[in-house]
Amino acid sequence: MSETGGAREVKSAARTVELLELLAARGDRPARLQELADELEVPRSSMYALLQTLISRGWVRTDVTGSLYGIGIHALLTGTSYLDSDPRVRLVRPYLDEASQALGETIHMARLDGRDVAYLATRESHEYLRTISRVGRRLPAHVGALGKALLAERPDGELPEGPYRALTPNTRTSREALAADLAGVRARGWSIDREEGVLGIVGFGFALRYDTPAQDAISCSVPVARLSAAHEERIVAVMRETRAKIEARAPGGGGGSVHWRS
């Protein structure tokens, strides 16, 4: 067993988590037994036994043939519990509604998770079809407004070496280019994602500074076809005001609640 934070890692528990994360990352692409065994470098017999245990408890599901595996419904139930119990998410949700109604655009909340951001809440615009962003989705922090707003709250020395993965031709894939962009974020006070994560979509991101460094951010996503200079100015004004309202309401240290380490 390896050391993790001063305690020894339990191999069987680590393997279970790795399997669930792998299945979750595959989304709508179910996996076969041999694929999972190869990916995690686990004997086929051990992987089969682990899968059967997780199927019986609802964490993994299988098709009628018993040959394909995907993430189970208990992952959803646990994720929903996380959102319902998080005081920050409960605090922010009404302000997402308010901003979405004021702007007529899609508003997101996300949290930094390693080198990614995880979407925790979304209020969709009624003006256009859903973008790829949604609750529970993870995106690399360097590609979008939410991630860049949070990366700008940290020193550039913490940025990983490039090259970074490109999601569109506009993605900044070098450390130098990203650092230069983050300098602009710090100067403005918010981030801009001009079709770097999704073609046809521009995002404006605002770090929520109720934690230091900020862990959460909010953003507004807008189709390029609807983004005029005047609309951009209004988006920035409304989102800055929304951030101020949230930060003013956020109690320090979790407001008497458990202050999770995330």
Side-chain angles (χ1 to χ4, degrees), residues 10-30:
V10 179
K11 187 175 181 179
S12 59
R15 180 177 294 174
T16 300
V17 172
E18 290 168 359
L19 172 60
L20 293 173
E21 289 180 342
L22 176 58
L23 290 173
R26 292 179 64 91
D28 61 356
R29 297 179 297 111

Side-chain angles (χ1 to χ4, degrees), residues 4-199:
T4 56
R8 292 190 299 171
E9 181 177 85
V10 179
K11 187 175 181 179
S12 59
R15 180 177 294 174
T16 300
V17 172
E18 290 168 359
L19 172 60
L20 293 173
E21 289 180 342
L22 176 58
L23 290 173
R26 292 179 64 91
D28 61 356
R29 297 179 297 111
R32 295 186 180 276
L33 173 60
Q34 192 62 55
E35 290 180 274
L36 298 173
D38 291 344
E39 181 72 22
L40 298 181
E41 299 181 346
V42 173
R44 182 185 174 96
S45 59
S46 298
M47 178 58 67
Y48 180 78
L50 178 55
L51 285 166
Q52 295 308 307
T53 299
L54 293 173
I55 289 170
S56 69
R57 294 178 178 269
W59 284 93
V60 172
R61 58 180 172 173
T62 187
D63 70 334
V64 293
T65 69
S67 61
L68 295 174
Y69 302 91
I71 197 71
I73 194 170
H74 277 217
L76 170 63
L77 301 178
T78 300
T80 301
S81 176
Y82 176 90
L83 295 175
D84 290 343
S85 66
D86 189 283
R88 304 306 200 195
V89 177
R90 291 201 305 270
L91 167 68
V92 170
R93 278 171 173 160
Y95 296 102
L96 300 186
D97 292 331
E98 185 178 296
S100 183
Q101 291 170 7
L103 295 170
E105 305 295 353
T106 297
I107 312 296
H108 303 290
M109 175 192 184
R111 180 164 295 161
L112 193 64
D113 181 23
R115 296 184 181 182
D116 299 333
V117 290
Y119 285 76
L120 302 181
T122 293
R123 296 297 181 266
E124 298 282 353
S125 167
H126 297 298
E127 300 296 325
Y128 64 101
L129 296 177
R130 176 188 296 273
T131 67
I132 66 166
S133 302
R134 61 183 184 273
V135 173
R137 183 177 179 82
R138 294 165 62 91
L139 286 178
H142 69 276
V143 303
L146 288 159
K148 292 196 295 181
L150 292 168
L151 292 178
E153 296 292 307
R154 292 155 173 79
D156 288 344
E158 295 184 11
L159 293 176
E161 294 296 329
Y164 308 141
R165 180 161 66 100
L167 296 190
T168 77
N170 300 319
T171 303
R172 288 172 172 81
T173 57
S174 74
R175 194 174 190 272
E176 295 73 18
L178 180 59
D181 189 25
L182 297 181
V185 175
R186 296 181 188 109
R188 284 190 305 271
W190 67 88
S191 65
I192 302 174
D193 155 26
R194 297 194 184 277
E195 301 185 82
E196 296 165 42
V198 183
L199 289 175

